[in-house]
């Protein structure tokens, strides 16, 4: 009867070791990232992975990036979202990049919405390009999950999103 307890303790120990490792990486990565970028936050993906959220801003354009704390930071992001202010009321997403099905896009979307709200931006827009039509079902699910409306022209292979 004690066998399940031993397994549970081993699992808890492994989880604790993993968390300690991620926290160590997070501390080291934040030092490197902060040298050239503004750190926005530390967050977790829907899969429980700790990530560092940071940004780089230009005049009317910015990029929000994400680095997964399971690996050392070597100057490259694991996920990114680029956006431009079309005017004082509209933010336009140029691109979302990163490995699929890691939860990175959802974390990045959370922060672009926060930035929009802080800047009193009323809408976020974006285009769906021809290159996106090979994963349209995944895009529809993603944007629906984040409260975006979509207009899709399947014949012309073009679309728009609006939040």
């Amino acid at each position: 009867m004690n066998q399940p307890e031993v397994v549970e303790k081993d699992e808890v120990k492994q989880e604790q070791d993993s968390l300690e490792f991620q926290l160590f990486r997070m501390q080291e990565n934040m030092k490197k990232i902060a040298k050239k970028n503004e750190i926005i936050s530390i967050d977790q993906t829907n899969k429980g992975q700790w990530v560092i959220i940071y940004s780089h801003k230009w005049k009317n354009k910015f990029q929000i990036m994400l680095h997964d704390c399971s690996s050392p930071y070597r100057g490259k992001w694991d996920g990114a979202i680029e956006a431009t202010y079309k005017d004082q009321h509209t933010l336009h997403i140029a691109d979302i990049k990163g490995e699929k099905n890691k939860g990175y896009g959802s974390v990045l979307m959370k922060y672009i919405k926060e930035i929009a709200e802080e800047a009193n931006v009323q809408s976020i827009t974006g285009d769906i390009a021809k290159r996106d039509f090979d994963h349209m079902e995944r895009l529809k699910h993603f944007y629906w999950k984040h409260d975006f409306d979509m207009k899709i022209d399947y014949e012309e292979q073009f679309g728009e999103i609006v939040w």
Side-chain angles (χ1 to χ4, degrees):
M1 293 228 162
N2 287 340
Q3 193 75 10
E5 278 186 37
V6 172
V7 172
E8 274 187 33
K9 287 179 182 179
D10 287 345
E11 288 175 7
V12 169
K13 175 71 173 134
Q14 285 178 344
E15 191 174 314
Q16 182 180 7
D17 289 347
S18 173
L19 185 57
E20 285 178 11
F21 178 76
Q22 286 186 64
L23 289 173
F24 170 76
R25 283 266 192 230
M26 185 185 303
Q27 182 181 19
E28 294 300 309
N29 291 343
M30 284 181 69
K31 290 177 191 174
K32 292 177 182 176
I33 291 169
K35 289 179 181 178
K36 295 184 178 179
N37 302 282
E38 176 188 346
I39 294 180
I40 297 173
S41 186
I42 297 166
D43 209 330
Q44 276 185 299
T45 66
N46 56 5
K47 303 195 185 308
Q49 199 62 38
W50 285 99
V51 293
I52 300 169
I53 313 302
Y54 56 104
S55 70
H56 190 80
K57 297 175 183 173
W58 298 272
K59 186 177 180 178
N60 67 336
K61 181 175 158 180
F62 65 90
Q63 184 173 31
I64 302 172
M65 297 152 286
L66 170 152
H67 182 76
D68 188 322
C69 292
S70 64
S71 62
Y73 177 74
R74 294 194 170 103
K76 297 190 180 201
W77 44 259
D78 293 312
I81 188 167
E82 295 176 17
T84 304
Y85 287 97
K86 286 174 75 173
D87 56 46
Q88 66 185 26
H89 304 290
T90 308
L91 191 57
H92 186 80
I93 296 174
D95 205 359
I96 302 174
K97 303 172 187 173
E99 199 171 335
K100 65 181 179 179
N101 297 322
K102 293 273 197 173
Y104 298 160
S106 290
V107 172
L108 292 166
M109 190 60 75
K110 172 184 167 182
Y111 287 95
I112 197 165
K113 286 178 177 180
E114 281 184 13
I115 288 170
E117 288 172 356
E118 288 171 8
N120 203 26
V121 168
Q122 280 86 38
S123 67
I124 301 173
T125 63
D127 298 322
I128 297 173
K130 191 172 189 169
R131 69 176 183 271
D132 296 324
F133 273 74
D134 66 337
H135 55 277
M136 185 53 66
E137 290 307 310
R138 195 176 49 151
L139 282 178
K140 287 193 316 194
H141 173 76
F142 177 79
Y143 287 119
W144 175 82
K145 178 171 70 172
H146 293 287
D147 301 319
F148 279 79
D149 291 323
M150 294 180 75
K151 295 177 188 170
I152 303 168
D153 183 334
Y154 287 95
E155 193 173 300
E156 295 292 323
Q157 292 192 329
F158 178 80
E160 297 174 323
I161 58 165
V162 177
W163 177 76

